[in-house]
């Protein structure tokens, strides 16, 4: 899809479709008003007949227009005008996108971007949010269909995002640039997440990292093999990997585009390409969904790619600990004690708590090899986090308040939320072990917090945050699939960092 920004009146657009908002009840937006006038009251009569009341998310497509420059008009319900906020704006954009997805025209002029959104006065934001909402709807995963599968082709190929004044164009352009880069990152994360475990293996993820470096001179990739991990003493990650025939990969990508010598931001992703639970085998129901257990890694890839595409002037390092978790005869077992790279020993009480083991060594690796300014890890870490926050927000844990704040604000701004959870020392005793420095599970209660508290033991020297994305990285049910979250949050965080410095 080609996205352009322009300013100009809706009744003068020679396009396949003009998209305008209607507020509840039957209150045309300024842009709808202009079209109504030019069409001798067409919109008013559609409303009078009861086909469009302006309820949030409602849509009506008008055809067969007479004496108009555009072929169609799409009316989009925006709800009550005085309640028109970020949430309703996104919802209206998504509703419009569903129509545009199947509509016949090749181009369209989008005017919802001109509406005043409560609490926002920046058309760059509106443009970017519209673009993200549209791309989310337009996404399809078709990589694994057979030869006789007929791909659906969208007719629409050019979308003009409208802003009220010419003076709004520069900020709108910036919104498009950020939106396109973010949407591309989200698409990458969705594609990786949707790929099945037999294709998306640790080796496949490593190849993606090499690919990224091949495409961009600014990216350097290094892949550590199991022998390298052995030499570094990554006993926790290698413990998990023993149950799998696929070799584990430790992936490091560097994008050092910031001031020389400036400490890097480090992103760390859990890349478990399939989690059967290991010897503590998971139940069979919905086990297929554990192919998404590399959602953290996928979002690290997405954010990295977005930062590179935007040429952000930052120093950024991405690290992915990738393995499968399977129950081979040589697999690690409950009761086993592993020695992590940090030297701390871990008693395994449940082999299904594998993500924290992989991340523990990754955190030690980044502490030893970089002097990070901040480290943010992403992981589909616990079912308990899904219980706590559902799919609205990722669990946000941090040992540093400004970092927590920055991540939370970034998520809020782009509609990819994370919500603070405690990391109090009181929880640490749940990880006590009779045989090793710690156990890998914390027993009953506070499962998301004890998992984060486990990671905290490997991040004491870092300014560190952890996002438990188990509830947000994918959707179950009819619309089963990867969401690309939290690429939006991460990319916004990186953009914010690059401008604040
Ligand atoms: N990958 C899972 C967490 C998960 C569960 C993600 C459901 C998405 C949906 C993780 O490796 C895991 O198995 N965690 C265990 C931890 C437990 C054994 C302490 C869990 O949450 O059940
Ligand atoms: Mn598990
Ligand atoms: Zn897992």
């Amino acid at each position: 899809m080609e996205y352009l920004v322009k300013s100009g009146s809706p009744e003068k657009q020679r396009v396949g479709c003009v998209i305008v908002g209607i507020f509840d009840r039957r209150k045309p937006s300024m842009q709808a008003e202009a079209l109504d006038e030019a069409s001798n009251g067409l919109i008013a009569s559609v409303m009078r007949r009861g086909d469009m009341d302006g309820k949030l998310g409602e849509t009506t497509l008008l055809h067969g227009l007479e004496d108009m420059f555009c072929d169609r008009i799409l009316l989009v319900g925006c709800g009550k005008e005085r309640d028109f906020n970020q949430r309703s704006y996104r919802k209206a954009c998504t509703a419009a996108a569903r129509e545009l997805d199947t509509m016949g025209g090749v181009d369209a002029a989008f005017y919802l971007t001109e509406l005043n959104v409560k609490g926002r006065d920046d058309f760059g934001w509106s443009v970017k949010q519209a673009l993200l909402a549209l791309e989310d709807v337009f996404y399809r995963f078709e990589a694994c269909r057979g030869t006789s599968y007929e791909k659906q082709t969208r007719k629409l190929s050019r979308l003009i995002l409208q802003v009220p004044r010419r003076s709004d164009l520069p900020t709108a352009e910036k919104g498009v640039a950020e939106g396109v880069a973010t949407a591309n990152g989200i698409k990458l994360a969705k594609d990786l997440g949707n790929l099945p475990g037999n294709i998306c293996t640790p080796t496949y993820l490593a190849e993606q990292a090499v690919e990224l470096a091949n495409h961009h001179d600014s990216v350097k990739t290094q892949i550590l093999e199991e022998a390298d991990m052995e030499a570094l003493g990554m006993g926790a990650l290698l413990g998990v990997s023993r149950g799998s025939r696929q070799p584990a990969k430790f992936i490091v990508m560097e994008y050092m585009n910031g001031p020389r010598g400036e400490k890097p931001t480090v992103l760390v992703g859990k890349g478990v390409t399939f989690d059967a639970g290991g010897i503590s085998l998971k139940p069979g129901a919905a086990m297929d969904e554990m192919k998404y257990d590399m959602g953290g890694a996928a979002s690290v890839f997405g954010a990295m790619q977005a930062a590179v595409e935007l040429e952000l002037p930052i120093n950024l390092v991405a690290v992915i600990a990738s393995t499968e978790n399977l129950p081979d005869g040589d697999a690690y077992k409950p009761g086993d004690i592993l020695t992590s790279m940090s030297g701390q020993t871990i008693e395994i009480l449940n082999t299904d708590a594998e993500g924290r083991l992989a991340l523990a060594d990754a955190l030690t690796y980044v502490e030893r090899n970089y002097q990070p300014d901040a480290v943010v890890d992403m992981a589909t870490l616990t079912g308990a986090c899904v219980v706590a926050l559902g799919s609205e927000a990722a669990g946000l844990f941090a040992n540093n308040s400004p970092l927590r704040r920055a991540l939370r604000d970034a998520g809020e701004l782009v509609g990819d939320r994370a919500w603070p959870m405690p990391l109090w020392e009181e929880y640490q005793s749940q990880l006590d072990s009779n045989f090793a420095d710690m156990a890998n599970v914390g027993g009953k209660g506070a499962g998301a917090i004890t998992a984060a508290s486990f990671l905290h033991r490997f991040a004491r020297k870092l300014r560190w945050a952890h996002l438990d994305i188990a509830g947000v990285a994918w959707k179950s049910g009819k619309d089963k699939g990867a969401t690309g979250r939290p690429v939006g949050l991460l990319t916004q965080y990186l953009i914010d960092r690059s401008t604040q410095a």
Side-chain angles (χ1 to χ4, degrees), residues 275 282 325 352-354:
D275 179 13
K282 285 182 184 296
N325 187 26
D352 199 8
E354 84 296 342

Side-chain angles (χ1 to χ4, degrees), residues 223-398:
I223 311 295
L224 304 190
E225 305 295 335
E226 288 192 348
D228 304 314
M229 299 177 220
E230 201 85 57
L232 290 169
M234 292 185 166
L237 172 57
L238 285 169
V240 178
S241 167
R242 282 179 62 159
S244 160
R245 306 266 171 108
Q246 293 288 338
K249 302 280 170 173
F250 192 87
I251 302 165
V252 184
M253 291 173 272
E254 289 181 3
Y255 165 74
M256 299 302 209
N257 198 39
R260 259 189 96 157
E262 189 174 278
K263 292 175 173 180
T265 301
V266 182
L267 304 179
V268 177
K270 170 179 173 182
V272 175
T273 57
F274 189 75
D275 179 13
I279 296 297
S280 313
L281 193 64
K282 285 182 184 296
M287 204 203 266
D288 62 292
E289 297 191 1
M290 283 301 136
K291 72 175 181 178
Y292 301 120
D293 211 17
M294 32 57 72
S299 59
V300 169
F301 270 113
M304 184 71 169
Q305 187 191 277
V308 171
E309 209 175 303
L310 287 169
E311 297 178 13
L312 294 183
I314 53 171
N315 291 332
L316 180 64
V317 175
V319 168
I320 288 162
S322 188
T323 175
E324 293 181 317
N325 187 26
L326 290 174
D328 187 76
D330 192 38
Y332 79 139
K333 306 171 292 296
D336 284 3
I337 293 177
L338 306 177
T339 301
S340 67
M341 183 177 173
S342 72
Q344 300 177 91
T345 61
I346 306 161
E347 183 191 12
I348 304 306
L349 294 181
N350 190 323
T351 63
D352 199 8
E354 84 296 342
R356 62 196 75 183
L357 299 170
L359 290 173
D361 283 342
L363 290 169
T364 304
Y365 180 88
V366 303
E367 179 211 300
R368 300 236 177 118
N369 287 273
Y370 301 93
Q371 276 107 43
D373 179 50
V375 178
V376 184
D377 81 65
M378 267 69 57
T380 48
L381 204 63
T382 65
C385 194
V386 189
V387 174
L389 294 169
S391 58
E392 288 311 319
L396 167 57
F397 301 84

